[in-house]
Amino acid sequence: DQQVKQNSPSLSVQEGRISILNCDYTNSMFDYFLWYKKYPAEGPTFLISISSIKDKNEDGRFTVFLNKSAKHLSLHIVPSQPGDSAVYFCAASAIRTNAGKSTFGDGTTLTVKP
Amino acid sequence: NAGVMQNPRHLVRRRGQEARLRCSPMKGHSHVYWYRQLPEEGLKFMVYLQKENIIDESGMPKERFSAEFPKEGPSILRIQQVVRGDSAAYFCASSSDRGTLGLVSYEQYFGPGTRLTVT
């Protein structure tokens, strides 16, 4: 039973346009969500997070939206740059019951074309 | 380098041998997590440790796998009698005691990983 799902294995976007990466979760106990970026042969790097008490968090070109009723979150990158090409992982935690442990999706490979 | 250190970066073992993977967390971090990434798959949680304690090992296979985080020294993930299916990238991550919510920091900082190949 996969509790965090990223249904799009890959996404291709033109430089300067918006990239939208999606993530769905099934466990209603999840209350903290994170996005990580991963380049080949490197470990994931934390990008941005959001608590379930919010529905939006913004950091520069990156914005994460959370829709609790739909159990859905998305990461928007505007404008997209070639250096953003990487694998993006969505992760979820249930901080009230299982502090620290994160459940990851399978990732979406983003390619930004110059 | 104040980041999470993992060694070795690449490890080749024959079936039946033991593999030991080491992880040194970021300075000041006392929480360590191990993840496994099989080819074409995402990161799968294995174990969560604090100094000298295993907090959550729900993702660890019941046999052949063990982990420790001693009072001194790095965290060790040990795989006994390796099989071909153990071939994967193993990532270690660490987090600090305090985050933006005043609780355990949920942002994890990852090492570069150890790529284990079992021949």
Side-chain angles (χ1 to χ4, degrees):
Chain A
D1 176 31
Q2 194 163 8
Q3 298 185 61
V4 178
K5 294 183 182 179
Q6 294 177 254
N7 291 318
S8 297
S10 62
L11 174 68
S12 183
V13 170
Q14 205 67 34
E15 181 179 8
R17 307 293 288 269
I18 184 171
S19 294
I20 301 177
L21 296 98
N22 294 302
C23 178
D24 296 294
Y25 62 96
T26 57
N27 189 341
S28 57
M29 298 299 291
F30 288 145
D31 50 15
Y32 196 79
F33 304 90
L34 311 97
W35 284 94
Y36 290 84
K37 178 167 77 171
K38 184 182 183 300
Y39 293 117
E42 295 183 12
T45 302
F46 169 72
L47 199 55
I48 192 169
S49 62
I50 187 167
S51 164
S52 60
I53 61 175
K54 295 184 176 181
D55 54 19
K56 177 183 174 181
N57 188 26
E58 191 172 353
D59 183 2
R61 296 186 297 115
F62 302 91
T63 303
V64 55
F65 296 92
L66 175 62
N67 182 334
K68 288 189 294 292
S69 61
K71 292 189 175 68
H72 176 84
L73 65 154
S74 61
L75 174 69
H76 291 210
I77 307 173
V78 182
S80 302
Q81 300 173 354
D84 296 329
S85 297
V87 179
Y88 288 79
F89 290 101
C90 167
S93 297
I95 62 175
R96 274 185 289 274
T97 58
N98 209 346
K101 174 183 173 181
S102 286
T103 301
F104 283 75
D106 285 344
T108 296
T109 300
L110 173 66
T111 302
V112 180
K113 297 180 179 177
Chain B
N1 185 347
V4 178
M5 307 285 285
Q6 286 188 254
N7 66 81
R9 292 293 306 273
H10 300 275
L11 182 61
V12 179
R13 285 286 178 267
R14 290 201 177 102
R15 279 181 297 172
Q17 291 185 319
E18 179 180 287
R20 281 188 181 232
L21 288 65
R22 296 174 189 79
C23 168
S24 296
M26 282 182 70
K27 186 176 182 180
H29 286 191
S30 59
H31 304 262
V32 166
Y33 315 83
W34 285 94
Y35 295 87
R36 177 166 64 176
Q37 184 179 26
L38 294 169
E40 307 303 323
E41 293 189 12
L43 294 158
K44 303 300 182 189
F45 168 81
M46 298 183 74
V47 62
Y48 165 29
L49 310 105
Q50 292 182 28
K51 284 286 187 182
E52 299 184 278
N53 287 307
I54 296 175
I55 307 302
D56 183 340
E57 57 181 347
S58 58
M60 287 276 274
K62 294 285 188 280
E63 298 177 351
R64 303 188 297 107
F65 285 73
S66 62
E68 63 176 6
F69 188 15
K71 186 176 180 181
E72 301 291 337
S75 175
I76 305 287
L77 178 67
R78 182 182 177 206
I79 312 172
Q80 295 178 290
Q81 299 175 324
V82 296
V83 300
R84 286 224 173 102
D86 297 333
S87 295
Y90 291 81
F91 291 96
C92 166
S94 71
S95 64
S96 65
D97 283 331
R98 291 292 178 195
T100 53
L101 300 177
L103 301 171
V104 173
S105 173
Y106 303 106
E107 293 86 33
Q108 297 179 11
Y109 296 84
F110 283 80
T114 293
R115 188 161 301 277
L116 172 65
T117 302
V118 180
T119 61

